Amino acid sequence: MTLPWFNSRATQSQVTLACIISACLFHVCSLPANGHAILLSRGTVVAHPDRVTAVIEVSSEDFVHYHHLQTKGDTVAAVDVREAIELHRAYLLERFSIRDGRGDRLSGRVLAVRFDLPDGERIGFLELRKILVTYTIDYAVRESPRFITLQQRFGDDTTAVPSQLVLSVRSADSPSGRMIQLTSGGNFETVDLQRCDAARVDGSSQVAEGETSGERAFVMGAGRFNEIVGVVKRDPAGCIVDVFIPLTLLETFMPVPRSEVDFLSATEITTQCAALKAYFSDKPPAVFLRQGGVETESTIERVAFLAPWQWRMEDVAAAPRRLGAWSSRIVVRVRCDAPDVAELDWRLLNAAVMNATLQQVVNGNPCREEPVFTGDTRVALRTL
């Protein structure tokens, strides 16, 4: 969910990190005497050319919730803790997933488990919190990864306490990573491991005449898989706005039926593009206004699904192909041929999506970025 006071993409990243830090502080400062207020695990994910490695650190106290570790008074049996540590190997492989750019789930194997239990047959309950277990998991890849999508679903109907997994994700040749937070609600986070290389888009796209790296960098920003952005282009012929919507947010406006929850087939993409064009023709994501707020006639020119590495309508081939659902976006192109439009009224908002960010492009030159949000949906358009 995006919020109206996130006034820039940079601010959103800062707030995300602040939320992670706040969650950690909450976890440390607000724990009840007999258990966690939240189950917080931490780790790193590093993408190598031939594999992806995850290192995840778990508090032994969490096994009370995940594996129903039994207490007797204020102690637990050391043998039961060891059994829970072993059970958690398969638990992580099942409930923590990494997908590649095509949407396929990577196969993992646990390489190592590190922990240090105190001597004795029983362990004090409060000692469990201090006993950290570190799992190293290796994931096979078919090719050097460019994109990875991560999700965790720790806990079940019998686990009343929510969980978070905070990860630093990076490529092996990068000195720093992107911090992400996965919750037991099952959110997906897609990371572009080469996002700083604005000129490279899987070798499939060249910058067209009149298009700049600034526009590409905006559309291909780190938050593009969980934010809605729009590019408004104005030239003497009129205006268009390309609206980029992650599938996860699109589904807060309308269902996107598919036979496999994690994928869209080529046939389903064709069907959905037609359905989405009809939907947005009836409920346009944005409309153009003349002076005085008079709405002008506009058309939904095209709807297309984008693979993670694609950044514009022109990248999409005529024949669609199967896409991973959680790392795909749609782009909706709204065209207005009136030369005298003065404003854009943004209408793609709901209770879950309360803001978006727009970039204006005039005669091929990106010139302005600004937010729109509930209660402030109109943007003055730059003149030629």
Side-chain angles (χ1 to χ4, degrees):
M1 180 179 76
T2 54
L3 299 174
W5 53 84
F6 290 178
N7 290 329
S8 71
R9 300 168 70 81
T11 302
Q12 284 196 343
S13 298
Q14 294 166 0
V15 173
T16 298
L17 182 57
C19 289
I20 293 172
I21 294 171
S22 297
C24 295
L25 291 174
F26 178 80
H27 172 70
V28 171
C29 299
S30 304
L31 294 177
N34 292 320
H36 290 251
I38 192 168
L39 308 181
L40 179 63
S41 302
R42 304 174 180 84
T44 60
V45 174
V46 180
H48 303 266
D50 59 346
R51 68 191 188 285
V52 175
T53 300
V55 178
I56 299 175
E57 185 180 81
V58 183
S59 167
S60 293
E61 186 182 12
D62 294 355
F63 298 145
V64 174
H65 303 276
Y66 293 144
H67 306 299
H68 308 295
L69 187 63
Q70 297 296 309
T71 61
K72 183 177 181 181
D74 59 355
T75 67
V76 296
V79 65
D80 290 344
V81 176
R82 289 182 179 275
E83 181 180 353
I85 291 171
E86 187 63 26
L87 284 173
H88 209 64
R89 286 173 170 259
Y91 192 89
L92 287 174
L93 292 178
E94 176 188 357
R95 294 175 179 263
F96 172 64
S97 67
I98 301 179
R99 296 179 180 273
D100 62 17
R102 296 184 179 87
D104 294 320
R105 184 169 178 173
L106 304 182
S107 176
R109 62 190 181 98
V110 178
L111 296 182
V113 181
R114 299 195 310 274
F115 60 93
D116 186 15
L117 295 186
D119 295 333
E121 293 185 358
R122 301 197 69 81
I123 300 171
F125 184 83
L126 294 180
E127 289 184 76
L128 287 179
R129 191 172 301 170
K130 304 174 185 177
I131 301 172
L132 301 178
V133 185
T134 303
Y135 297 84
T136 300
I137 310 172
D138 199 56
Y139 295 87
V141 297
R142 293 186 295 181
E143 58 187 16
S144 181
R146 166 76 191 273
F147 300 89
I148 55 175
T149 300
L150 306 102
Q151 184 199 36
Q152 66 98 340
R153 284 197 174 276
F154 299 163
D156 53 32
D157 293 340
T158 65
T159 307
V161 183
S163 67
Q164 293 179 351
L165 174 58
V166 178
L167 296 170
S168 172
V169 184
R170 65 178 178 87
S171 62
D173 58 358
S174 175
S176 61
R178 176 183 164 193
M179 297 297 297
I180 66 169
Q181 181 175 270
L182 303 176
T183 72
S184 49
N187 64 301
F188 291 86
E189 292 290 339
T190 297
V191 177
D192 183 349
L193 296 164
Q194 300 175 13
R195 65 185 184 276
C196 294
D197 184 0
R200 181 181 184 275
V201 185
D202 200 43
S204 62
S205 174
Q206 302 297 321
V207 177
E209 183 178 357
E211 292 177 327
T212 70
S213 60
E215 181 186 339
R216 179 184 294 198
F218 173 74
V219 173
M220 295 290 279
R224 67 188 181 275
F225 299 106
N226 48 30
E227 300 174 12
I228 294 178
V229 300
V231 177
V232 186
K233 297 182 182 180
R234 183 167 193 164
D235 59 32
C239 289
I240 67 168
V241 55
D242 284 340
V243 181
F244 297 85
I245 312 169
L247 182 64
T248 51
L249 294 185
L250 176 64
E251 290 190 307
T252 69
F253 293 91
M254 62 175 296
V256 182
R258 49 194 181 273
S259 57
E260 296 180 83
V261 67
D262 297 316
F263 296 95
L264 285 152
S265 70
T267 300
E268 288 169 335
I269 288 172
T270 299
T271 301
Q272 285 301 317
C273 284
L276 288 166
K277 187 174 182 180
Y279 175 86
F280 286 116
S281 294
D282 184 51
K283 298 179 180 179
V287 297
F288 293 97
L289 309 175
R290 290 189 174 94
Q291 291 289 350
V294 179
E295 185 174 332
T296 64
E297 184 177 352
S298 60
T299 59
I300 303 298
E301 186 174 270
R302 187 183 175 192
V303 177
F305 279 79
L306 300 179
W309 53 86
Q310 293 173 327
W311 74 281
R312 56 181 179 161
M313 187 76 76
E314 289 75 15
D315 287 337
V316 180
R321 64 175 181 176
R322 182 177 188 253
L323 292 176
W326 312 120
S327 56
S328 66
R329 298 180 292 167
I330 69 163
V331 55
V332 183
R333 175 163 292 175
V334 185
R335 177 176 294 277
C336 174
D337 294 327
D340 58 343
V341 293
E343 291 181 299
L344 180 80
D345 187 25
W346 188 265
R347 297 184 178 180
L348 193 66
L349 298 169
N350 62 20
V353 181
M354 294 186 285
N355 78 306
T357 306
L358 307 186
Q359 181 186 74
Q360 292 196 47
V361 179
V362 177
N363 286 336
N365 298 309
C367 59
R368 188 175 182 181
E369 291 180 19
E370 55 196 311
V372 291
F373 47 85
T374 303
D376 189 6
T377 59
R378 290 192 180 184
V379 172
L381 298 181
R382 299 293 292 268
T383 58
L384 296 173

